[in-house]
Amino acid sequence: MHRRQWLVWFTTFLGLLARPWRRAVDAAGTSQPASARRGGVVRWIWTGGLTSTSVSIVTRIVDGLAPVQVRLTPSGGGPAVTADAERADLDASGICRFRIDGLRPATAYIYQVVQAGIAAGPSGRVRTPAAGPHNTLILFGSCASTGSNAPIWDTMRALSPDLFVHMGDLHYQNITRNDPARFRAAFDRCLTSPRQGAFYRTVPIAYVWDDHDFGGDESTRHATSAEAAHTAYRECVPHYPLRGGPRDTIQQAFDIGRVRVIVTDVRSARDMPDRRDGSVPSMLGAAQLRWLLDEFEAASRRAALVVWANGVPWITKADEGTHHGWAPYHEERALIAAQIERVGLTSRLLMVSGDAHMVAIDDGTNSQYAPGAAPGSRGFVVAHAAAFDRFRRNKGGPYSLGRRAGRGQFGELRIQDDGRRLVATVTCRDARGRQIDKLSIRLTCVDGTCTVSQPGPQAPLFEHLGAA
Ligand SMILES: [Fe+2]
């Protein structure tokens, strides 16, 4: 056969082979010819701001055409909910935000982008919490190298958590140029990483930055890229309602059943820690501090348990001269501790933290910083969980149940609540889902008071892995 003829035949043959792949499938499952497909490529999609009746979804679409919608279909059957993007047009970034209301509580949904009436791209899952007391699984931690594709993401996804609290260092780009495109690119690398992207498609988040994903190592409100970080966060991250203006701190608070979750921003209002001008430095900034004190007061009147996601180490008694954690901001720490005591929250508060690349638990032996507290009086329970995927490093302490620095570590918080008795069990786990050392603690909460116990070794999450 002549060479040119052979090429024509070969190309035709390839075209025939490719035909089934050139058909899109619409939301009803009907095949559509490729010419009918007008949408772009869904680069990534994730959810957050979850309540029992609503959720936020953010996606990035390349070469897409407006209008873009999302469709949520109850996995157990029932009518689908379709929502339009918050902005009708699609700019060069391709980022679309959705706020979906009118969902059913305690319902699992499958969601997908819809372009020109055709469902496209990967589907994700989200499960709305019940409105009242219920059992729930929350995973937490911090710190993963940019675009991490470590097995820990698959391990955490296999647990089907209801919520993921990420306390920062989502990436380590240390962006100092005031350019939102750099932050968008960093999100892109994380959310398109196969394992990490799959995790975020199926687990709703409550995410707040730390230093490396805000303005660089040890960054403060003076970070040169702060404005861009704020802009990109509000574009790319599905979050709970924020207060104030576009440059204000990104703290958030929400209910999961009878648990009040408070997530604070320890970076974007932080003063430099030096005291050369005689001033007292603040980690949270005046507005966020006031908000936090009010949140504790309000939560003390109605929450069975309060979970405070505070990114950086609270306990620094091993070395109060350290520049890590709350030590340089000890006046503010004392003020917060005093409020927690004053409103009667100490036993009902669980602090979860990241930053240090270690897991650790303190049962309250070392966390009391309220001025005037009786010597030896207990503080609240503190649990550290990091690093998802980053080198090992210890900070702060001491921690009464111990600590283990390392990579491939996360925290698990299981809530069992029958409406009268709430049991919260925190366990530190490794990348295979095994409990690390003796790092597990239980709070049993009845009538506004929680008692602390150690549950002993937890059953392995995955039977085939054997005991921890
Ligand atoms: Fe980190």
Side-chain angles (χ1 to χ4, degrees):
M1 190 182 291
H2 192 276
R3 193 173 168 206
R4 186 177 293 171
Q5 243 181 333
W6 185 89
L7 257 176
V8 169
W9 277 106
F10 185 66
T11 311
T12 309
F13 176 70
L14 277 183
L16 281 171
L17 270 185
R19 274 183 73 86
W21 304 337
R22 296 175 61 207
R23 300 175 78 82
V25 177
D26 73 11
T30 312
S31 278
Q32 300 285 327
S35 58
R37 190 174 57 184
R38 297 171 56 230
V41 174
V42 178
R43 288 279 291 173
W44 49 257
I45 188 164
W46 59 343
T47 65
L50 181 70
T51 75
S52 55
T53 58
S54 63
V55 69
S56 291
I57 298 178
V58 185
T59 185
R60 178 166 177 245
I61 296 171
V62 177
D63 297 330
L65 295 172
V68 179
Q69 298 175 301
V70 287
R71 184 172 299 154
L72 293 91
T73 308
S75 52
V81 177
T82 303
D84 296 324
E86 287 178 358
R87 280 176 43 177
D89 60 325
L90 194 59
D91 66 14
S93 73
I95 292 165
C96 298
R97 300 187 63 88
F98 304 87
R99 183 71 192 164
I100 300 100
D101 296 305
L103 301 179
R104 297 202 309 251
T107 303
Y109 288 87
I110 296 168
Y111 65 88
Q112 199 169 19
V113 165
V114 175
Q115 297 177 90
I118 299 170
S123 59
R125 291 198 305 270
V126 64
R127 187 167 57 229
T128 53
H134 64 280
N135 299 343
T136 192
L137 172 61
I138 300 171
L139 302 186
F140 62 93
S142 71
C143 306
S145 296
T146 308
S148 161
N149 196 37
I152 188 174
W153 302 106
D154 286 346
T155 301
M156 294 194 293
R157 182 162 59 95
L159 296 174
S160 296
D162 298 289
L163 178 71
F164 183 55
V165 178
H166 195 312
M167 290 171 283
D169 293 353
L170 188 97
H171 59 78
Y172 279 75
Q173 292 302 90
N174 294 312
I175 299 162
T176 52
R177 186 180 293 187
N178 196 26
D179 179 2
R182 296 199 170 215
F183 286 90
R184 287 187 207 112
F187 282 118
D188 222 55
R189 284 186 60 188
C190 299
L191 294 168
T192 57
S193 168
R195 289 191 174 108
Q196 204 176 161
F199 175 79
Y200 286 125
R201 281 197 298 278
T202 54
V203 186
I205 58 145
Y207 156 63
V208 67
W209 52 46
D210 195 15
D211 50 349
H212 297 285
D213 48 350
F214 174 63
D217 194 20
E218 307 288 358
S219 49
T220 67
R221 65 187 173 86
H222 304 289
T224 49
S225 57
E227 190 178 341
H230 277 283
T231 299
Y233 183 95
R234 284 162 174 80
E235 281 179 3
C236 300
V237 177
H239 54 72
Y240 289 90
L242 303 177
R243 286 147 195 83
R247 283 290 308 271
D248 285 320
T249 45
I250 58 168
Q251 76 274 14
Q252 297 156 47
F254 52 94
D255 294 320
I256 301 288
R258 294 197 299 155
V259 180
R260 183 68 169 168
V261 183
I262 300 171
V263 183
T264 44
D265 170 359
V266 295
R267 287 293 160 189
S268 73
R270 173 190 287 239
D271 291 328
M272 299 290 281
D274 65 67
R275 297 162 183 258
R276 275 171 293 190
D277 60 359
S279 62
V280 173
S282 169
M283 183 183 290
L284 301 179
Q288 184 179 198
L289 175 63
R290 185 70 258 159
W291 172 89
L292 179 64
L293 301 180
D294 291 347
E295 267 293 329
F296 284 144
E297 176 132 37
S300 72
R301 290 194 289 269
R302 60 186 189 84
L305 177 73
V306 175
V307 176
W308 176 17
N310 153 60
V312 296
W314 174 263
I315 301 171
T316 52
K317 286 176 179 160
D319 175 14
E320 294 294 11
T322 179
H323 67 279
H324 291 306
W326 278 88
Y329 305 90
H330 58 87
E331 292 94 340
E332 193 164 279
R333 176 172 58 185
L335 211 151
I336 295 168
Q339 174 75 339
I340 291 167
E341 274 286 295
R342 188 184 73 78
V343 302
L345 261 191
T346 303
S347 85
R348 268 186 290 159
L349 181 67
L350 165 65
M351 174 182 282
V352 295
S353 285
D355 178 32
H357 298 173
M358 62 177 197
V359 287
I361 293 180
D362 187 82
D363 65 1
T365 301
N366 300 296
S367 62
Q368 181 58 276
Y369 279 97
S377 71
R378 292 164 70 100
F380 44 80
V381 171
V382 175
H384 272 266
F388 296 135
D389 186 15
R390 195 72 180 169
F391 58 81
R392 64 197 300 275
R393 187 175 193 190
N394 284 309
K395 285 182 188 175
Y399 302 99
S400 62
L401 269 62
R403 66 175 163 197
R404 171 93 74 93
R407 173 194 299 270
Q409 305 188 139
F410 66 98
E412 176 200 83
L413 169 59
R414 279 187 191 272
I415 305 283
Q416 297 163 288
D417 186 9
D418 62 12
R420 194 193 70 81
R421 181 171 175 269
L422 185 150
V423 179
T425 308
V426 179
T427 306
C428 301
R429 297 201 181 272
D430 70 12
R432 296 175 69 191
R434 297 171 301 187
Q435 180 179 324
I436 298 170
D437 301 335
K438 292 181 176 160
L439 294 177
S440 186
I441 198 163
R442 180 167 289 161
L443 291 87
T444 303
C445 307
V446 181
D447 295 335
T449 304
C450 302
T451 52
V452 174
S453 59
Q454 272 192 264
Q458 299 290 290
L461 293 173
F462 306 107
E463 286 302 325
H464 65 279
L465 291 178

